[in-house]
Amino acid sequence: MSTVIKGGTIVTADLSYEGDVRIEGGRIVEIGANLTGDEVLDASGCYVMPGGIDPHTHLEMPFMGTYSADDFDSGTRAALAGGTTMVVDFALPSPGQGLLDALQMWDNKSTRAHCDYSFHMAVTWWSEQVFNEMKEVVDRGITTFKHFMAYKGALMVNDDELFASFQRCAELGAIPLVHAENGDVVAELSAKLLAAGNNGPEAHAYSRPPQVEGEATNRAIMIADMAGVPLYVVHVSCEESHEAIRRARQAGKRVWGEPLIQHLTLDDSEYANPDWDHAARRVMSPPFRNKAHQDSLWAGLAAGSLSCVATDHCAFTTDQKRYGVGDFTKIPNGTGGLEDRLPMLWTQGVATGRLTPQEFVAVTSTNIAKILNIYPRKGAILAGADADIVVLDPNREKVISAKTQQSAIDYNVFEGMTVKGLPRFVLSRGKVSVTEGAMSSEEGHGQFVARTPAGPVNKALSSWKELTAPRKVERTGIPASGV
Ligand code: DUC
Ligand code: ZN
Ligand code: ZN
Ligand code: ZN
């Protein structure tokens, strides 16, 4: 059985050309003209692109006294509906819980996935057990470790723990990720706001100004440099953090930044909405920023100082958000976006001329495949690659509405926005999973994608220059110790 995607324009991170794509056994086997197959998908007028990879999701995650509402079933359906064919979710041990124990939980949940997936492992506490288990986690194909510099008293790790874990990552050839916000300052600002009676969702944004993100990003970059390891900064939302990443990259440090589609397209005026639910539904960390910060993020994507667009999909229902009535610090943090990432980025990025179609592919798929060392199995339209493909119709449009979404929640932060550039077809390892909005995906079809360390190219500047290597000085004499 073979499938041919016919008559489209193939767009990859570096090329755009006319061609048919033939698929067999879940893989691309041939690219050329006038190809034939058992099943033919008409791609005329469309772009044939590598399916999106969302490097940052939280499906069915225990968090802030509840569980995020989308699981591997609804979450990966949402992904496919929007042209995303792989998600990387965070296995999250609660402090004190072993990494392998948490991994077992995520293995169990992910059996429902409709598309392929991988995991990052979170380091939420530090011990000899964590140190030891990190090796086993890498051996099981998980080569990225996430660290929360915020959520004090819960998930946050301190600088000594960060440094220890980053050094362990360096030994294992793994890449550390950081949620960069200064958790101590956030805790102080939150307490102050609450004490002053400022308990609504708008206070959430005041408790996490751009400075807390800029400070933590700078700190994480310097700690990574001293540990001799590259660094991936998740959900870069502001110029302060972006500036730190730009500066590090210019100095030769291997630092990647990931803006979210929400931060690129929604701003902090959402928190001024008089409807409590409206504002609370948009409470996430980091919070939405003003237009100047958004411009910085768009510029970073165009210039290459920011590498991947993600969602941090962590969806909570309105009822769950209401846990925080009277105390904004109890509003579960998170927003959805899995189904909307590609159409929103196409509409506000490519259709406006801010990004080229090739840049679109790079930031939604290829760049993260390279960083995660799964390229060209993922993130490519090449013979031999997995047939994870989105056939994007630039003229197909819709108005985003919670009524028609795959996500299990009762609203959508992009509600009412018109998007243009929707999938005509989405294929997951060759299986047609979406046809013009109609789902034909299959629960359990998704497979775990194991990864291996990327190798010596992923070295931080300090380690190859040996800037930190101590040299003992041979002295001519050593005085008796003083009293
Ligand atoms: N931020 C969120 O908004 N939700 C999940 C975790 C995070 O860091
Ligand atoms: Zn985070
Ligand atoms: Zn996250
Ligand atoms: Zn299947």
Side-chain angles (χ1 to χ4, degrees), residues 5 107 129 195 207 230 281 283 298 305 325 335 340 355 362 366 421 431 434 447 464 472 475:
I5 302 175
D107 277 342
Q129 183 191 353
S207 74
R281 287 162 174 166
V283 163
W298 283 107
S305 50
V325 172
T335 58
D340 314 304
L355 298 176
T366 306
K431 177 179 171 50
V434 185
Q447 290 179 0
W464 59 261
K472 189 164 166 69
R475 303 205 178 268

Side-chain angles (χ1 to χ4, degrees), residues 56 58 146 148 151 179 234-235 285-286 312:
H56 189 161
H58 300 283
K146 162 83 169 285
F148 291 91
Y151 300 113
H179 170 132
V234 304
H235 50 48
S285 296
D312 196 4

Side-chain angles (χ1 to χ4, degrees), residues 199-266:
N199 63 12
E202 68 280 10
H204 173 78
Y206 295 123
S207 74
R208 315 180 93 99
Q211 289 88 340
V212 303
E213 193 181 331
E215 185 282 325
T217 304
N218 274 289
R219 180 157 40 100
I221 288 170
M222 292 305 174
I223 292 174
D225 197 40
M226 289 184 280
V229 75
L231 181 72
Y232 184 98
V233 184
V234 304
H235 50 48
V236 175
S237 76
C238 63
E239 163 60 14
E240 282 77 354
S241 174
H242 178 200
E243 189 269 338
I245 293 165
R246 278 201 310 271
R247 187 156 31 80
R249 289 170 68 92
Q250 209 161 5
K253 296 172 190 173
R254 295 193 177 270
V255 178
W256 299 283
E258 168 206 89
L260 306 181
I261 191 63
Q262 295 92 321
H263 290 122
L264 285 161
T265 61
L266 300 170

Side-chain angles (χ1 to χ4, degrees), residues 210-444:
Q211 289 88 340
V212 303
E213 193 181 331
E215 185 282 325
T217 304
N218 274 289
R219 180 157 40 100
I221 288 170
M222 292 305 174
I223 292 174
D225 197 40
M226 289 184 280
V229 75
L231 181 72
Y232 184 98
V233 184
V234 304
H235 50 48
V236 175
S237 76
C238 63
E239 163 60 14
E240 282 77 354
S241 174
H242 178 200
E243 189 269 338
I245 293 165
R246 278 201 310 271
R247 187 156 31 80
R249 289 170 68 92
Q250 209 161 5
K253 296 172 190 173
R254 295 193 177 270
V255 178
W256 299 283
E258 168 206 89
L260 306 181
I261 191 63
Q262 295 92 321
H263 290 122
L264 285 161
T265 61
L266 300 170
D267 67 49
D268 57 358
S269 64
E270 303 280 355
Y271 302 120
N273 192 296
D275 177 20
W276 191 96
D277 285 334
H278 181 102
R281 287 162 174 166
R282 287 150 181 86
V283 163
M284 66 175 301
S285 296
F288 299 163
R289 308 293 191 191
N290 67 28
K291 299 273 184 215
H293 292 293
Q294 291 186 322
D295 285 344
S296 167
L297 303 182
W298 283 107
L301 289 177
S305 50
L306 297 174
S307 305
C308 313
V309 176
T311 61
D312 196 4
H313 187 99
C314 189
F316 296 100
T317 63
T318 302
D319 279 349
Q320 289 177 305
K321 290 283 187 180
R322 288 180 182 171
Y323 295 168
V325 172
D327 179 351
F328 72 88
T329 65
K330 297 196 163 61
I331 301 171
N333 285 199
T335 58
L338 258 172
E339 187 167 345
D340 314 304
R341 179 178 66 127
L342 265 59
M344 283 294 295
L345 191 71
W346 185 271
T347 304
Q348 300 211 10
V350 182
T352 56
R354 285 196 270 212
L355 298 176
T356 66
Q358 285 90 347
E359 286 165 347
F360 173 86
V361 172
V363 300
T364 57
S365 182
T366 306
N367 288 353
I368 192 65
K370 289 179 179 173
I371 293 167
L372 297 180
N373 201 28
I374 53 174
Y375 183 86
R377 174 178 167 194
K378 302 291 189 189
I381 303 287
L382 285 174
D386 282 356
D388 280 5
I389 298 174
V390 56
V391 178
L392 186 143
D393 182 347
N395 293 315
R396 214 181 128 72
E397 64 175 59
K398 71 169 183 186
V399 177
I400 293 177
S401 164
K403 291 198 175 67
T404 52
Q405 72 188 4
Q406 299 297 321
S407 168
I409 64 171
D410 57 316
Y411 62 92
N412 186 307
V413 295
F414 304 109
E415 183 78 29
M417 297 175 95
T418 299
V419 280
K420 208 172 168 159
L422 292 174
R424 181 179 292 176
F425 303 108
V426 182
L427 286 80
S428 166
R429 261 182 298 101
K431 177 179 171 50
V432 178
S433 302
V434 185
T435 304
E436 301 208 324
M439 300 299 296
S440 54
S441 65
E442 179 193 327
E443 186 173 324

Side-chain angles (χ1 to χ4, degrees), residues 161-213:
E161 299 166 313
L162 270 187
F163 188 45
S165 181
F166 284 16
Q167 289 178 94
R168 183 61 168 153
C169 286
E171 282 169 11
L172 297 171
I175 300 174
L177 278 56
V178 281
H179 170 132
E181 287 184 305
N182 184 315
D184 288 314
V185 174
V186 170
E188 288 298 312
L189 291 176
S190 300
K192 239 175 119 171
L193 286 156
L194 282 175
N198 220 330
N199 63 12
E202 68 280 10
H204 173 78
Y206 295 123
S207 74
R208 315 180 93 99
Q211 289 88 340
V212 303
E213 193 181 331

